Amino acid sequence: MCGIMGYVGPREAAPIVVDGLRRLEYRGYDSAGIAVHDGTALTVTKTEGKLARLAGLLDEHPVAGRSGIGHTRWATHGAPSDRNAHPHTDPGGEVVVVHNGIIENFLSLRETLAAAGAEFASETDTEVLAHLIALEYDGDLLEAVRRAVGMAEGAYALVAMCRQEPGRMVAVRMISPLVVGIGDGEMFLASDVPAILHHTRDIVVIDNGEIVDITADGWKIEKLDGTPVERDRLEITWDAEQAERGGYPHFMLKEIFEQANATTETLSGRLLEDGRVVLEDVHFPPGFVAGLDKIWITACGTAYHAGLVGKELFERLLRIPTEVGYAHELRYSDPIIQGTTLTLAISQSGETADTLAAAGLAKERGSRLLALTNVVGSTLSRESTDVLYTRAGPEIAVASTKAYLTMLVGEYLLALAIGRERGVLDPAIDATLVAGLRGIPAKIGEALAAEEQAVVLAGRFAGRDDVYFIGRGLDHAVAVEGSLKMKEISYVHSEAMPAGELKHGTLALVTEGTPVVVVITQGDVYDKTVSAIQEVKARGAFVLAVAYEDDEQVAKHADEVLRIPRVPDVLSPLVSIIPLQLLAYHVAAARGHDIDQPRNLAKSVTVE
Ligand code: F6R
C-alpha cells in the first residue's frame, strides 16, 4: 500500500502534491518523492524517510511547475532508500512514474529489458514500468501507457507524466484504488479521497482495468482495450478526518475491512495460476528443507498468536516438530536450536525488541532465520537470511488485525512451499490449500457480514467484567487472539484456553450469565467442543459460538451463533477470527473507548 497524488492546473503543483501526500501518509511513510513539470523539464525530488524530510528538501531547493505527481511509499520491492523512493524515470528522464501495488512479472520484464542493455537505478518493480512506457512512447502518452501495462501483470495503480507533453497525466487502475478530483480549471488524482478533499468534493472513481487521461481542462476514461467509459461524478460529504479513515469511525474497523484486499496482496505473485508457490525472498540452500528437524517460532502478542496457528499447521501438514515461544521468554532461555532448525520470527513491525533479541539468539546458535514481517527494510528483515513480507500495508490501529491475518496467509504459503519441497504434503491437502487460499479473499468478504450481529451482541458483553474464549486445535489458536483483541481495546478481562482445560479449574468462575465465546469449526473434535459447551451451559453461561454457516447442530447448544462461511477446516482461522475482531471492536465502541490508541499500549514495543 502506497499513496499516490497528482495535480495539473494553474497553481504551483509541488505544495499541492506534498499536502496531498501528507493526507495519504497513513498508506505508507518509509520514503516520499515528487516530480514536477515546468513546461520544459521534469524535476524529481525524492528521499528515504517520512514526508517531513521531503518537505525540508523542497524548502531548500524549491521546484516550480504547474503539473506534478507524488508518492508516499510503503516498500514491497526494494528496501526503503533514496534510490528506491518514487517517482522513477527511464534512463533518459523522459517518462516519470509513481505506482502503488505490485507488478508480479517484474523480474521477467526486467531481465528482458536488461538483456537489451537497459540499466536500472533502483530495485523496484516501478522503474520497469518507466522503462517500458518510454520504449513504447511515440508522441502519445496515453497509448504508450496502455501498451506498457499490457505487458505487466499484478494488482496496482500508476500515474505517468512525460517531458514532451507538459500538463498531461495518464493513470491506470488495476485493483489498487484511484480517484480523480475535478476542480475549477484544475484536476487532481489520488489513491484516496482525503488527499484532495479540501480542493474539491467533486470526485470520479476509476474502476479496475481503466485508464484515465487527465489535463487541466478535463478527463477521459477508457477501458484498457480502448472502449470509452462514461462515469458519474460523486459528491463527497465526509469531513477530511473521516475521509482519512475511509469513512470508518476508527482505523481498526477500516483495517478489519481491508483484510480481503490485504490477503489478495499477500497471495499476489506467490500462489500462481498453475498452483506453484513462489516466495521471492526465501532462498533455502539445497538440502536444508529435507534436513529440517525443527521449526522454532518466536514472537510476541498477536504475532505470537499467529505463531500458534503456524505450529498447528506445520506439525499437522509437514510433520515437523514445531515450538512456539514468547520472544521475551526465549531470549533468556537456553533453547535447543541448531543448523537444522528453522527459526521463524514473526513481527508486524519488525522492530519489537524482544523478538529481535530472540531472533539474534537463534542466529548465534546457527539456525537459519526467516522473518515474517509487514515492514520492508525493518531491522528484523535486515537481520534475517530469508524474509516473507505480509504486504498488509501500514497498520495504524494499535490492535493488530490485518497484519495478523496476513501473517496466517504467509504461514499457509510456507507450509505449501516446505511441504512440497520435502515431498510430505498429501496431494489432496495440497489441492485443498491451493483452491481454498485462492477463494479466501471472497470468504473474508462474506465473514465481514457478521458485523451487524456483532453490534447487537456487543451490548450483551459491554457490561460484563469477564469473558472466556475456548476452542480446540486451530480453534484454540484463534480463541486466544480473539481474547487478546477483547481485552486490549474493551478493557473487559478475558481469558482463552483449550476447551478441554476448562474443567481443570476455570469452570469455577463460570456462573449465571458468564459470557463464553466458543470457536467451533474443527470437524474432528466437534463433539468434544460441544461437550465443553454443555459444561459451561450447565453452570448458566451465556454461550456465543463462532461456527460455519451450514452448521445446523450448534444452535441447539449455544445461545447465539456468529456465522462464518464454510471453508476447509484447515483454513478456518482465516475467517473465524473476523467475527471475534468485530465483536471486540463493537464492545469497545459500546464502552466508549479510544479504540485506535488503547490505554497503556503502543504500536511498536521497541524497548525490553
Ligand atoms: C496486539 C498487538 C501486539 C503486537 C505485539 C508484537 O493487537 O498488536 O500484541 O502483536 O506487540 O508486535 P510486532 O508484531 O510488531 O512484533
Side-chain angles (χ1 to χ4, degrees):
M1 200 155 114
C2 303
I4 289 177
M5 172 73 191
Y7 171 79
V8 47
R11 295 190 274 162
E12 282 300 328
I16 295 172
V17 172
V18 170
D19 182 63
L21 293 179
R22 193 170 59 71
R23 294 163 204 274
L24 292 175
E25 238 187 335
Y26 74 90
R27 300 179 64 85
Y29 40 73
D30 62 42
S31 43
I34 63 167
V36 173
H37 205 311
D38 66 2
T40 24
L42 282 163
T43 307
V44 173
T45 311
K46 59 185 189 174
T47 175
E48 185 192 345
K50 294 205 172 180
L51 198 62
R53 193 182 298 175
L54 176 71
L57 276 181
L58 289 165
D59 283 345
E60 281 169 38
H61 309 283
V63 283
R66 306 275 156 96
S67 55
I69 56 178
H71 188 266
T72 178
R73 182 167 188 245
W74 181 257
T76 54
H77 283 99
S81 63
D82 288 354
R83 69 196 201 103
N84 286 337
H86 296 215
H88 291 281
T89 64
D90 65 299
E94 291 291 317
V95 169
V96 65
V97 178
V98 293
H99 153 244
N100 164 28
I102 294 157
I103 307 296
E104 289 177 6
N105 60 337
F106 100 101
L107 269 179
S108 65
L109 292 172
R110 191 177 157 118
E111 276 160 19
T112 311
L113 290 165
E119 286 185 10
F120 293 90
S122 77
E123 295 145 310
T124 65
D125 46 353
T126 313
E127 193 186 354
V128 169
L129 289 171
H131 281 244
L132 289 177
I133 296 169
L135 285 172
E136 293 295 326
Y137 188 74
D138 59 5
D140 184 346
L141 183 61
L142 181 76
E143 294 312 320
V145 172
R146 196 198 307 276
R147 287 193 288 272
V149 298
M151 296 176 233
E153 290 161 19
Y156 60 86
L158 71 87
V159 190
M161 294 198 303
C162 73
R163 192 188 57 75
Q164 293 186 42
E165 296 181 77
R168 189 180 195 190
M169 300 187 282
V170 173
V172 173
R173 174 177 182 180
M174 295 295 288
I175 299 186
S176 302
L178 208 54
V179 294
V180 172
I182 303 153
D184 188 7
E186 57 185 359
M187 298 288 291
F188 307 84
L189 188 86
S191 302
D192 201 355
V193 173
I196 50 187
L197 205 53
H198 53 297
H199 298 293
T200 178
R201 292 182 168 271
D202 200 0
I203 300 291
V204 171
V205 177
I206 308 303
D207 271 349
N208 277 340
E210 291 178 351
I211 184 163
V212 55
D213 190 1
I214 299 174
T215 60
D217 308 318
W219 82 99
K220 182 179 73 170
I221 308 176
E222 290 177 2
K223 290 197 186 301
L224 279 170
D225 65 8
T227 317
V229 173
E230 290 295 322
R231 176 72 33 77
D232 290 340
R233 299 167 170 204
L234 285 180
E235 164 82 19
I236 299 291
T237 50
W238 304 330
D239 64 36
E241 207 191 314
Q242 253 182 330
E244 205 154 304
R245 297 185 302 256
Y248 291 95
H250 298 98
F251 277 106
M252 182 180 174
L253 194 60
K254 177 171 186 267
E255 288 162 5
I256 291 173
F257 274 83
E258 280 172 353
Q259 292 181 110
N261 273 343
T263 302
T264 303
E265 295 264 339
T266 309
L267 291 170
S268 173
R270 289 169 172 168
L271 183 59
L272 306 187
E273 290 278 303
D274 58 8
R276 270 181 305 138
V277 171
V278 179
L279 304 180
E280 66 282 7
D281 296 312
V282 177
H283 305 287
F284 297 137
F288 174 74
V289 166
L292 202 57
D293 58 13
K294 180 172 171 183
I295 299 178
W296 195 66
I297 303 178
T298 189
C300 303
T302 286
Y304 171 86
H305 298 157
L308 294 178
V309 173
K311 173 182 165 69
E312 290 280 333
L313 292 182
F314 300 148
E315 293 200 329
R316 201 192 284 189
L317 302 178
L318 311 179
R319 310 300 300 156
I320 300 177
T322 304
E323 277 184 48
V324 198
Y326 284 116
H328 37 85
E329 285 291 306
L330 280 167
R331 65 184 292 188
Y332 297 115
S333 67
D334 186 10
I336 303 163
I337 294 173
Q338 51 198 3
T340 47
T341 308
L342 173 64
T343 298
L344 176 63
I346 311 180
S347 171
Q348 187 283 130
S349 60
E351 301 296 346
T352 299
D354 287 321
T355 308
L356 292 174
L361 175 64
K363 245 173 52 170
E364 252 171 55
R365 299 202 170 187
S367 169
R368 199 163 174 96
L369 180 59
L370 167 57
L372 179 56
T373 179
N374 195 32
V375 182
V376 177
S378 55
T379 309
L380 183 64
S381 72
R382 283 186 273 111
E383 291 187 354
S384 299
T385 23
D386 306 280
V387 190
L388 180 48
Y389 291 113
T390 48
R391 299 185 188 152
E395 197 176 55
I396 310 287
V398 165
S400 182
T401 53
K402 62 177 182 171
Y404 168 79
L405 200 70
T406 53
M407 285 167 185
L408 302 193
V409 175
E411 290 175 332
Y412 285 99
L413 288 171
L414 263 179
L416 269 171
I418 295 176
R420 286 175 182 177
E421 194 171 336
R422 270 169 91 91
V424 294
L425 208 54
D426 177 85
I429 299 269
D430 188 311
T432 302
L433 285 173
V434 169
L437 283 173
R438 283 219 182 96
I440 217 69
K443 298 286 184 185
I444 291 170
E446 289 171 38
L448 289 165
E451 189 185 16
E452 213 175 301
Q453 217 189 331
V455 173
V456 177
L457 286 165
R460 279 202 81 120
F461 284 72
R464 307 297 311 197
D465 296 326
D466 307 284
V467 183
Y468 298 93
F469 287 74
I470 58 171
R472 285 174 188 267
L474 284 170
D475 287 339
H476 167 246
V478 172
V480 177
E481 172 59 7
S483 165
L484 177 62
K485 288 290 91 84
M486 180 64 79
K487 71 179 91 162
E488 69 180 324
I489 55 170
S490 74
Y491 315 151
V492 173
H493 165 253
S494 80
E495 250 182 78
M497 70 209 68
E501 182 63 15
L502 263 176
K503 57 185 174 296
H504 297 287
T506 310
L507 199 54
L509 298 172
V510 176
T511 57
E512 197 57 36
T514 303
V516 178
V517 180
V518 184
V519 187
I520 177 163
T521 69
Q522 301 296 296
D524 56 342
V525 285
Y526 188 91
D527 292 343
K528 305 286 168 202
T529 307
V530 167
S531 304
I533 296 180
Q534 281 161 350
E535 280 163 21
V536 293
K537 281 295 294 172
R539 275 82 191 173
F542 167 78
V543 173
L544 169 62
V546 172
Y548 291 128
E549 59 200 350
D550 58 357
D551 178 343
E552 287 166 8
Q553 294 301 311
V554 70
K556 295 182 194 148
H557 309 290
D559 295 286
E560 293 281 349
V561 186
L562 277 166
R563 298 288 181 178
I564 52 168
R566 167 66 70 175
V567 293
D569 284 1
V570 66
L571 292 171
S572 70
L574 295 170
V575 285
S576 59
I577 188 58
I578 288 171
L580 301 183
Q581 295 168 338
L582 289 167
L583 181 68
Y585 172 84
H586 284 291
V587 172
R591 288 166 68 101
H593 292 164
D594 182 352
I595 294 181
D596 284 338
Q597 286 172 339
R599 71 181 178 209
N600 307 340
L601 301 180
K603 184 71 186 158
S604 276
V605 187
T606 52
V607 291
E608 198 179 339

